[in-house]
Amino acid sequence: MAFTRTKSGLSNLAQFHGADVILFTEGGVQSFTFEDVCNGRFNEAAIDIKFWSAILAKHGYDKRVRFRALGSKSASEKICELIVSGQVRNVVVARDSDLDDFLSQKYTLKEKYSLI
């Protein structure tokens, strides 16, 4: 039986894992689609998880974080759109922005949120 996460389910996912926030990042051995992510698939280990974990620790972030690596950057596009539109909460996407400014693909929130 497959358990598919809705937008509400994605917002509440952190609670099921004893976390304050779910942080999606790039990296891992496999890339997943948004549909895969909604069906609970992700990489548990990735260099990106180590990197972002170190960044949060360096800056004294004291919230409980559960990391999920999605593989490619394109896997996180839909999640970014849901966050920016206010349709999901308690979810963060951390990814590199090497060419985002150049390609006009950077997501920014219009309001300030205090997740981090």
Side-chain angles (χ1 to χ4, degrees), residues 42-108:
F42 62 95
N43 294 300
E44 293 184 27
I47 193 69
D48 295 70
I49 291 174
K50 285 185 175 187
F51 173 80
W52 289 109
S53 181
I55 294 293
L56 295 176
K58 167 83 173 146
H59 293 282
Y61 187 68
D62 61 352
K63 305 274 189 214
R64 296 167 297 162
V65 179
R66 187 70 137 210
F67 289 92
R68 292 181 172 215
L70 304 181
S72 72
K73 188 175 204 167
S74 60
S76 64
E77 290 292 317
K78 179 68 175 170
I79 299 170
C80 287
E81 292 170 7
L82 293 171
I83 292 169
V84 169
S85 67
Q87 295 182 60
V88 296
R89 298 180 338 221
N90 308 320
V91 174
V92 175
V93 174
R95 56 191 204 167
D96 63 61
S97 61
D98 299 345
L99 299 172
D100 289 350
D101 287 323
F102 179 71
L103 298 173
S104 298
Q105 293 178 334
K106 191 172 252 182
Y107 289 93
T108 55

